Amino acid sequence: MRRAAKSLVPLLPFRRQRLRISFDIDDTLACQALHSDAEPSRLPAFIHRWLGEPLRIGTRSLIRELRRQDCSVWVYTSSGRTPAYIRRWLMLHGIHVDGVVNSVRHRHALTARGLSNAPSKLPCAFDIDLHVDDSEGVQMEGQHHGFRVVVVRPDDQQWAQQVLDAVAQVQRQLARQQLVGRQVTAPQRAEVFSS
């Protein structure tokens, strides 16, 4: 009697899902002088007053590090700022974003899902793995609607490290989920990241 040879399935290299992270604008990326210093600029001040708001210090280096980690960077705001305005404002600071969700795009996503108890933001509708916001209310919505939020205070000088720590935690979670063979298209439960 011949024994059946064990089938050796070659192990495929682990392919990490590209993490998609979004940032709120007001009191998260756009700072007020009483809360945070602004990123320095090589452009004259009148151009920034005309074309944009002060950008929170540490944003450029944070985005650069997220890009180095192969993250996709988005902006998600409930304001009526246009995507063109947001992209131009960030480009003044040398920052490129992969996507912008404003109030118009957000409403379309809610309508498409027929949500009656509409959250102010719904990052999972745009395959966003982690949202960065200053609002604890958005964090509570995340717990209720199943999306991850890290809350950063407007005056927190260590905010960028807090974001990087949350990104590392999400990357570990997604890696574990991929290793057990689950396809993750949206977070299965909300994660709370607090300072």
Side-chain angles (χ1 to χ4, degrees), residues 3 32 37 44 63 77 86 102 129 133 158 176 183:
R3 280 190 161 175
Q32 297 178 15
D37 291 333
I63 302 300
T77 179
I86 294 167
N102 66 356
D129 300 295
D133 208 295
Q158 302 300 315
R176 277 194 303 270
Q183 284 187 327

Side-chain angles (χ1 to χ4, degrees), residues 21-26 28-29 59 62-63 66 72-77 97 101 121 128 130-133 150 152 159 163 167:
I21 180 170
S22 65
F23 291 87
D24 174 48
I25 294 180
D26 293 314
T28 303
L29 291 184
T59 301
L62 173 60
I63 302 300
L66 292 172
S72 177
V73 177
W74 286 52
V75 168
Y76 197 135
T77 179
V97 291
V101 180
K121 294 184 176 145
I128 293 170
L130 177 66
H131 178 67
V132 181
D133 208 295
V150 59
V152 293
W159 75 283
V163 171
V167 165

Side-chain angles (χ1 to χ4, degrees), residues 1-130:
M1 220 187 247
R2 288 181 82 195
R3 280 190 161 175
K6 278 189 177 179
S7 170
L8 295 177
V9 178
L11 294 175
L12 298 175
F14 172 68
R15 182 164 173 206
R16 177 173 61 86
Q17 172 183 332
R18 187 172 188 209
L19 188 73
R20 188 176 284 188
I21 180 170
S22 65
F23 291 87
D24 174 48
I25 294 180
D26 293 314
D27 292 327
T28 303
L29 291 184
C31 66
Q32 297 178 15
L34 62 128
H35 292 146
S36 171
D37 291 333
E39 286 279 6
S41 174
R42 294 186 191 113
L43 298 174
F46 77 91
I47 291 178
H48 279 283
R49 282 193 300 275
W50 182 57
L51 291 177
E53 304 154 75
L55 185 68
R56 185 178 188 165
I57 193 137
T59 301
R60 257 186 268 172
S61 59
L62 173 60
I63 302 300
R64 193 171 27 249
E65 175 59 21
L66 292 172
R67 293 281 187 204
R68 191 191 67 71
Q69 294 183 24
D70 194 33
C71 292
S72 177
V73 177
W74 286 52
V75 168
Y76 197 135
T77 179
S78 53
S79 76
R81 293 174 181 94
T82 66
Y85 168 85
I86 294 167
R87 288 178 189 279
R88 183 180 62 229
W89 169 59
L90 292 171
M91 287 300 281
L92 283 173
H93 295 282
I95 296 172
H96 166 77
V97 291
D98 300 309
V100 174
V101 180
N102 66 356
S103 59
V104 173
R105 195 164 174 203
H106 169 76
R107 276 193 307 275
H108 287 296
L110 294 179
T111 302
R113 284 164 180 72
L115 290 175
S116 58
N117 184 11
S120 63
K121 294 184 176 145
L122 191 63
C124 54
F126 302 93
D127 294 325
I128 293 170
D129 300 295
L130 177 66

